[in-house]
Amino acid sequence: MLNITYTASGDIIATDNDGISSLFNLGDIAWTLTSTALVWIMIPGLGFLYSGLLRRKNALTQMYMGIMVLAAISFQWFFWGFSLAFSSTGSMFIGDLKHFAFMDVLDTPSIGSARIPTIVYSIYQLMFAAITPMIAAGAFAERGHLGPIPVFVFAWSTLVYDPIACWTWSPNGWSAKMGVLDFAGGTPVHISSGAAALAISVYLGKRKGWGTEKLSYRPHNTSYVVLGTVMLWFGWFGFNGGSALSANLRAAQACIVTNLAASVGGLTWMIWDYRIDHKWSAVGFCSGAIAGLVAITPASGFVGAPAAVLFGVVAGTCCNFATQFKFLFAIDDALDIFASHAVGGLVGNILTGIFAQRSVAAYDGFTNINGGWVDQHYIQLGYQLADSVAGMVYSFVMTTVILWIMHYVPCCRIRMSDAEAETAEELGMDEYHMGEFAYDYVGLEEEALVRDEKEDFDSNSTVHESSGLHTAN
């Protein structure tokens, strides 16, 4: 039985049956659990963002996707996901089943920080595991079967996210041992999800009318785009600041650079868009803010505020122009996920290799790194590039393999036949798959149309009957 006592300062002393005691800091636990809640709100926020960017008839599907992915990954993480990613006895590529079904995760010090227990670390990392496939799931927008997606998400997290998280953040991982700097998920979260979205887009093929005026639509609900961005921005303080796993100066610095990169990224993208339409686009600002947030993610615990400005400018510019890749290579990436997340994550990893500072990393009082180019550690850029390329290629290839294996498994095929796709895309995924709508008035409009047709029919019948009576008379 676990014995819990407290120090004079209020910290927890957990003593197990073997008499081994562990000291946990209440402030660090509180900050990490708060950050968990902040990252949680990002997942439905991403659903709102995606929903607003699509057409009205597909809006509900993406909001549903957010809670569905969270549920599927919550089970996967409990079942074996956490153990495969963070088992202390795993290999350099993937963990083992030491923590299968959350065994031995209550009172042991976490591998992320000895100041918090593994149970706190596991729930915090669950949020990262859940939001990553949700980012990629935006590639299913407006096409594909909805039913098999939870199966895909479970398999993808097991075979793609967990190994990449292991090699990046586990002390046993090859990337961590090499010295790659990734504070909050440049490769495990953003590059992996962006590459997966590209693979999904290639597998599903183009929507009907892609490249024509039929699909040259504006976001149906810009308010949802802004709301989703606000929820993501708000949650990102827990995403990056929480990755310090402690309420300290490094966490504060991570929050500062996160907010600054997002702000500059939003302004940069909006200015680039202004050159085309001469309009100040709210959607453009939101896109740029997210690009800045993505890019600063791997660097947030390693760079100072001046560098964060550059991160925002470079990410806002590179991701903006990267949205043209889908036309260049004729790939229907409906929500520009590859451009925002894979390219943004790559930009962030590269700039981390240049601007990481050992002095900033030491804000927590114990982290010691060699830094990047600003500290004359020039090989760091090579480490960052190797990790980025490995994560991108691995995610793209494994995602493709998973999709094609499921393609030939009964009831697991995600891609529709041409006839199904034409019907589903015409009706919208909300009606075709769910029989529900994001807005009541969508259904009311249809009811009004039926009512008007009935009234027209009744009116015509009355006229015909009147004409008949007049003739008879």
Side-chain angles (χ1 to χ4, degrees):
M1 180 177 177
L2 184 64
N3 182 40
I4 299 294
T5 57
Y6 294 87
T7 66
S9 61
D11 289 338
I12 294 176
I13 301 175
T15 306
D16 62 19
N17 292 330
D18 297 325
I20 300 175
S21 297
S22 301
L23 179 66
F24 302 123
N25 183 272
L26 287 181
D28 292 352
I29 292 174
W31 170 237
T32 305
L33 291 177
T34 301
S35 296
T36 299
L38 289 172
V39 181
W40 188 97
I41 204 67
M42 295 172 67
I43 302 169
L46 192 59
F48 274 102
L49 173 68
Y50 285 168
S51 175
L53 290 169
L54 297 173
R55 288 176 287 186
R56 181 181 292 110
K57 60 185 178 180
N58 302 299
L60 182 62
T61 308
Q62 284 299 317
M63 287 189 277
Y64 154 81
M65 200 85 74
I67 54 177
M68 179 275 295
V69 169
L70 175 61
I73 296 303
S74 292
F75 172 73
Q76 189 270 353
W77 198 245
F78 154 80
F79 188 69
W80 61 23
F82 175 71
S83 191
L84 293 175
F86 292 106
S87 171
S88 60
T89 54
S91 71
M92 67 174 63
F93 296 106
I94 192 167
D96 55 25
L97 296 181
K98 176 182 178 181
H99 298 301
F100 176 78
F102 270 16
M103 289 189 298
D104 300 324
V105 299
L106 180 60
D107 60 315
T108 56
S110 73
I111 65 173
S113 169
R115 292 163 61 90
I116 62 172
T118 300
I119 190 79
V120 174
Y121 186 67
S122 64
I123 188 66
Y124 178 63
Q125 286 295 338
L126 163 60
M127 300 303 125
F128 287 71
I131 197 170
T132 304
M134 179 54 197
I135 295 170
F140 293 115
E142 303 198 342
R143 55 201 161 152
H145 289 292
L146 199 61
I149 292 179
V151 178
F152 168 80
V153 166
F154 188 99
W156 187 88
S157 188
T158 300
L159 298 174
V160 180
Y161 177 80
D162 293 345
I164 297 178
C166 176
W167 82 48
T168 304
W169 288 323
S170 170
N172 300 326
W174 67 264
S175 179
K177 286 185 174 181
M178 185 170 64
V180 170
L181 301 177
D182 193 336
F183 191 66
T187 299
V189 176
H190 298 297
I191 289 180
S192 70
S193 61
L198 183 66
I200 293 168
S201 299
V202 172
Y203 164 77
L204 290 177
K206 303 179 185 68
R207 290 167 293 171
K208 305 301 178 184
W210 186 84
T212 67
E213 288 296 320
K214 182 179 180 180
L215 292 185
S216 297
Y217 58 85
R218 290 184 178 274
H220 92 277
N221 192 328
T222 304
S223 297
Y224 273 8
V225 175
V226 174
L227 174 63
T229 302
V230 168
M231 293 170 73
L232 286 167
W233 195 330
F234 177 71
W236 228 293
F237 289 106
F239 199 92
N240 289 351
S243 291
L245 302 176
S246 181
N248 57 30
L249 294 179
R250 196 179 186 197
Q253 177 68 14
C255 290
I256 288 172
V257 297
T258 296
N259 188 68
L260 188 56
S263 302
V264 176
L267 294 171
T268 301
W269 189 303
M270 184 175 63
I271 291 170
W272 280 117
D273 278 0
Y274 183 83
R275 82 189 194 281
I276 299 174
D277 297 327
H278 296 288
K279 302 289 185 182
W280 300 109
S281 170
V283 174
F285 179 87
C286 291
S287 301
I290 291 169
L293 289 165
V294 169
I296 199 62
T297 293
S300 52
F302 303 115
V303 301
V309 174
L310 185 63
F311 273 74
V313 171
V314 176
T317 299
C318 291
C319 294
N320 182 290
F321 284 95
T323 59
Q324 301 305 307
F325 287 166
K326 62 183 180 183
F327 301 113
L328 182 63
F329 297 103
I331 298 173
D332 187 7
D333 183 1
L335 296 172
D336 291 318
I337 299 169
F338 180 81
S340 295
H341 291 274
V343 174
L346 178 61
V347 167
N349 278 354
I350 291 172
L351 292 179
T352 301
I354 297 173
F355 293 102
Q357 296 177 260
R358 65 173 66 94
S359 60
V360 174
Y363 283 179
D364 59 11
F366 55 83
T367 298
N368 181 31
I369 64 170
N370 293 319
W373 281 19
V374 294
D375 287 330
Q376 292 81 50
H377 187 233
Y378 301 109
I379 192 63
Q380 188 63 49
L381 181 58
Y383 296 160
Q384 302 297 116
L385 285 171
D387 177 73
S388 300
V389 172
M392 189 175 296
V393 173
Y394 179 79
S395 178
F396 181 85
V397 172
M398 284 302 300
T399 303
T400 302
V401 170
I402 293 168
L403 288 167
W404 280 106
I405 289 175
M406 290 181 61
H407 189 82
Y408 294 104
V409 175
C411 302
C412 287
R413 178 179 295 190
I414 297 179
R415 189 167 70 183
M416 293 179 167
S417 66
D418 290 343
E420 284 180 303
E422 186 171 354
T423 302
E425 291 178 27
E426 187 65 31
L427 288 174
M429 294 295 148
D430 294 354
E431 180 176 358
Y432 186 83
H433 285 304
M434 306 181 72
E436 298 171 335
F437 304 94
Y439 313 99
D440 288 341
Y441 71 79
V442 174
L444 292 174
E445 285 180 347
E446 294 184 349
E447 293 173 3
L449 179 61
V450 171
R451 184 171 62 252
D452 290 342
E453 290 176 348
K454 183 177 184 301
E455 289 174 354
D456 289 341
F457 175 81
D458 292 341
S459 176
N460 290 335
S461 298
T462 302
V463 170
H464 292 158
E465 289 171 1
S466 298
S467 299
L469 289 172
H470 178 74
T471 302
N473 291 337

